[in-house]
Amino acid sequence: IGGAKTDVEAVKQEVTKKARIANERSINGKLGALHIQTRRMINALYASLKAQKINSKHLQITLANSKKKYAQARIESRDLINDEDSYLSSNLNEIDIKLQVATTLIDYLSVFSETPCLFNRK
């Protein structure tokens, strides 16, 4: 009877050990997938931000030209207002993309506070 009890304990310990290993591998897999997904998202957002900055730069040039034309009475005020609106909307889109980058990074980093690892213990 005593031998059977030690066998059961050994089996329980082995099952617990394998369950812990499986759980650790599952968490590592999820973290790896999250890391890859976040990196791709950040890269896409930076590419979008770069394109938006170029767009804003061109709209700024267009707005400056429109202001000159308006001062010379070559265009109407609504055309100037439309150019200003386009330029300011482009600037707002830049800010929105930067906010998305910050939010994505905060979401990414919040996962690591829930996951025990050596880095988080320090």
Side-chain angles (χ1 to χ4, degrees):
I1 294 178
K5 187 174 184 180
T6 55
D7 289 343
V8 169
E9 288 297 322
V11 169
K12 281 183 181 180
Q13 288 177 356
E14 187 69 24
V15 167
T16 303
K17 181 181 175 183
K18 288 187 180 191
R20 190 181 70 240
I21 290 170
N23 189 32
E24 183 179 325
R25 287 181 181 168
S26 173
I27 289 172
N28 285 338
K30 288 177 185 177
L31 286 175
L34 177 66
H35 178 73
I36 290 168
Q37 177 187 11
T38 302
R39 186 172 1 129
R40 286 179 182 163
M41 186 179 297
I42 294 295
N43 288 340
L45 285 170
Y46 274 124
S48 177
L49 181 61
K50 185 178 178 182
Q52 192 62 45
K53 283 184 177 187
I54 291 169
N55 187 40
S56 292
K57 192 174 189 179
H58 290 300
L59 287 172
Q60 185 178 21
I61 293 167
T62 301
L63 178 60
N65 290 335
S66 293
K67 284 181 179 180
K68 287 177 188 176
K69 288 178 183 178
Y70 179 74
Q72 296 169 352
R74 291 173 46 203
I75 61 170
E76 295 181 17
S77 61
R78 69 177 155 80
D79 294 329
L80 177 63
I81 290 170
N82 286 339
D83 288 342
E84 286 177 340
D85 185 49
S86 296
Y87 174 66
L88 294 175
S89 293
S90 182
N91 286 341
L92 284 175
N93 287 338
E94 274 187 55
I95 293 168
D96 186 45
I97 293 170
K98 289 176 184 177
L99 176 64
Q100 288 177 4
V101 169
T103 303
T104 301
L105 288 174
I106 288 170
D107 289 343
Y108 174 73
L109 294 174
S110 70
V111 169
F112 289 101
S113 66
E114 300 169 4
T115 308
C117 67
L118 293 175
F119 182 75
N120 289 335
R121 292 182 194 153
K122 292 182 181 179

